[in-house]
Amino acid sequence: MEQRTALITLADTLASHQGVTHYAISMRALKKGDFFKNMKDGSDCRTTTAAKVLEFFHTNWPEDLEWPSDIPRPKTSKKEAA
């Protein structure tokens, strides 16, 4: 799955689970609400931004929500495992 599509899927999945909009997820992840709207409208992002957003999802993903199987989840860092 393309990275942009994966980030949008993660945002939509989490937003639906929490009963909020992708704007709220964007505010939590990046402190700006238009990130996922822009992505849905065809914009792209820098690799460092994508990595930051993916790390946000990995760190904040609820235990009662299954991570989408078609999106590779980041490996747990040594710091998290400790």
Side-chain angles (χ1 to χ4, degrees):
M1 175 181 294
E2 184 213 359
Q3 187 176 47
R4 186 172 65 82
T5 303
L7 294 176
I8 291 169
T9 299
L10 290 169
D12 287 343
T13 302
L14 185 59
S16 177
H17 180 74
Q18 294 182 341
V20 298
T21 64
H22 59 79
Y23 179 89
I25 302 301
S26 182
M27 287 298 294
R28 294 173 191 167
L30 295 170
K31 309 283 190 267
K32 60 181 191 175
D34 60 350
F35 180 76
F36 294 110
K37 178 192 178 305
N38 292 340
M39 295 286 277
K40 287 181 176 190
D41 290 343
S43 293
D44 209 340
C45 68
R46 299 178 76 124
T47 55
T48 54
T49 302
K52 181 178 180 177
V53 172
L54 189 57
E55 183 60 29
F56 165 82
F57 285 124
H58 174 65
T59 303
N60 295 283
W61 201 258
E63 289 185 23
D64 65 334
L65 178 62
E66 187 175 334
W67 185 273
S69 61
D70 55 343
I71 300 173
R73 188 164 187 172
K75 295 187 182 344
T76 302
S77 68
K78 292 179 183 178
K79 183 178 178 181
E80 286 178 310

